[in-house]
Amino acid sequence: MAIARQIELAAGGPVLSRLVFGAWRLLDEGKPSAEDVARLIGTAADLGLTSFDHADIYGNYEVEAAFGAGLARWSGRRDDIQLISKCDIMLKSANRPDNRLKFYDTSAAHIVASAERSLKNLGTDYLDLLLIHRPDPLMDADETAAALEKLVAVGKVRAVGVSNFSPSQFDLLASRLSIPLVTNQIEHSVLETSALTDGRLDHAQRLRYQPMIWSPLGGGSLFSGDGAREHKVRAALTQVAAETGANDIGAVAIAWLLRHPARLVPVLGTMKPARLAALTRALDVTLDRQQWFAILEASEGRAVP
């Protein structure tokens, strides 16, 4: 059964494409022209990837502006896509000369300034979703919540969430908000399965929000890793690809995520149109329970207890 191409992150929350375009690697192979970025945006949107995931730090703080230049040349409508960004990681960078080391900043002043800078760089009046990028041990939950609520109240941000938070960290911030946290963006893949047992996916099901998933293909190690685990997982994926007619182990790895009842929303990191097209076929692949557990068994190196 084909999976719906859009998903509401939480009750009353934003509607995203079920697979999200991740912009993190936009500048990995040099700076593309604005026209090239516009074509990439159009390709993604045509494939149904209408949601675009950013963070202020991506590309040494330069991805958002490069994407914004392309967005300005794209022929589509802003209201037909969703722009997501994140803040609070502070990198040591020539683009941030005041940062002497890597640290986190969830102060109200930084959250507001970062969001406004993202709006300027992306060339938009609003973000569909703003996430706190990493847990900050110095987070004052009242101050952070107040900043997020202010951004929503003035219309600069339409919804808020977190990334890489534990259930207790999520609950702390949520307890100070009058608006919902609509997602927790976490790492999860056939090679990184800890979210299945550490409570994060249980938490999402309990509160009925849909987690976004970063590095859903193991940061590329699923294809290039030379360890015993990677070889076993690739073999299991290849078997399931043959059984389902998927003919692409990446699509099967994404389908494995989509099979989970927490209704995961994978963020795809490739900048190659052909790979984006191949991975979107995951929406038409349904794994049965035994296929899903065969992949888990290959990843963990043992049968389930």
Side-chain angles (χ1 to χ4, degrees), residues 255-301:
W256 186 84
L257 296 172
L258 298 176
R259 180 66 174 79
H260 195 278
R263 303 175 74 209
L264 314 182
V265 183
V267 179
L268 307 182
T270 182
M271 297 294 112
K272 298 177 180 178
R275 286 304 299 148
L276 287 174
L279 294 174
T280 61
R281 296 179 193 135
L283 295 167
D284 298 311
V285 177
T286 301
L287 307 188
D288 65 30
R289 283 180 175 266
Q290 293 191 69
Q291 291 167 332
W292 191 92
F293 276 100
I295 294 168
L296 178 66
E297 180 178 294
S299 178
E300 300 195 343

Side-chain angles (χ1 to χ4, degrees), residues 36-268:
D36 287 340
V37 175
R39 281 192 289 271
L40 186 58
I41 294 170
T43 295
D46 288 344
L47 289 169
L49 281 71
T50 60
S51 303
F52 296 86
D53 181 74
H54 290 270
D56 57 350
I57 62 169
Y58 286 171
N60 197 25
Y61 293 98
E62 295 179 349
V63 161
E64 286 185 331
F67 187 92
L71 190 60
R73 288 164 174 77
W74 177 56
S75 60
R77 297 174 61 250
R78 166 66 180 91
D79 288 348
D80 291 336
I81 64 171
Q82 301 80 46
L83 296 178
I84 303 154
S85 195
K86 314 179 200 72
C87 67
D88 95 316
I89 299 177
M90 307 289 278
L91 297 181
K92 184 178 180 181
S93 166
N95 290 321
R96 295 293 185 273
D98 291 338
N99 295 355
R100 300 189 303 277
L101 74 169
K102 180 182 178 181
F103 64 104
Y104 305 117
D105 188 349
T106 50
S107 68
H110 175 69
I111 291 170
V112 171
S114 180
E116 290 178 342
R117 187 180 297 113
S118 292
L119 293 174
K120 180 180 178 181
N121 286 338
L122 292 168
T124 185
D125 295 328
Y126 66 93
L127 293 173
D128 294 272
L129 178 60
L130 177 66
L131 308 179
I132 300 299
H133 202 162
R134 289 273 179 181
D136 172 14
L138 294 180
M139 182 182 76
D140 180 322
D142 291 304
E143 180 180 355
T144 299
L148 295 174
E149 291 192 335
K150 175 183 177 181
L151 288 167
V152 172
V154 300
K156 294 180 178 180
V157 171
R158 293 193 169 175
V160 297
V162 295
S163 179
N164 302 297
F165 273 43
S166 69
S168 63
Q169 291 163 338
F170 184 109
D171 291 342
L172 170 60
L173 182 56
S175 73
R176 301 300 202 273
L177 285 161
S178 61
I179 56 178
L181 292 174
V182 299
T183 194
N184 185 15
Q185 186 175 131
I186 61 173
E187 182 180 10
H188 184 45
S189 72
V190 293
L191 293 174
E192 172 46 69
T193 61
S194 59
L196 294 173
T197 55
D198 67 11
R200 285 177 291 166
L201 296 183
D202 301 335
H203 185 262
Q205 281 208 75
R206 180 169 66 83
L207 296 184
R208 299 184 186 279
Y209 64 83
Q210 320 324 322
M212 297 177 68
I213 304 301
W214 63 269
S215 199
L217 297 174
S221 59
L222 175 64
F223 307 107
S224 60
D226 199 34
R229 186 183 192 192
E230 288 89 345
H231 282 289
K232 289 179 180 178
V233 170
R234 282 197 291 270
L237 292 171
T238 299
Q239 177 65 33
V240 174
E243 293 170 357
T244 60
N247 297 318
D248 187 287
I249 65 170
V252 175
I254 297 299
W256 186 84
L257 296 172
L258 298 176
R259 180 66 174 79
H260 195 278
R263 303 175 74 209
L264 314 182
V265 183
V267 179
L268 307 182

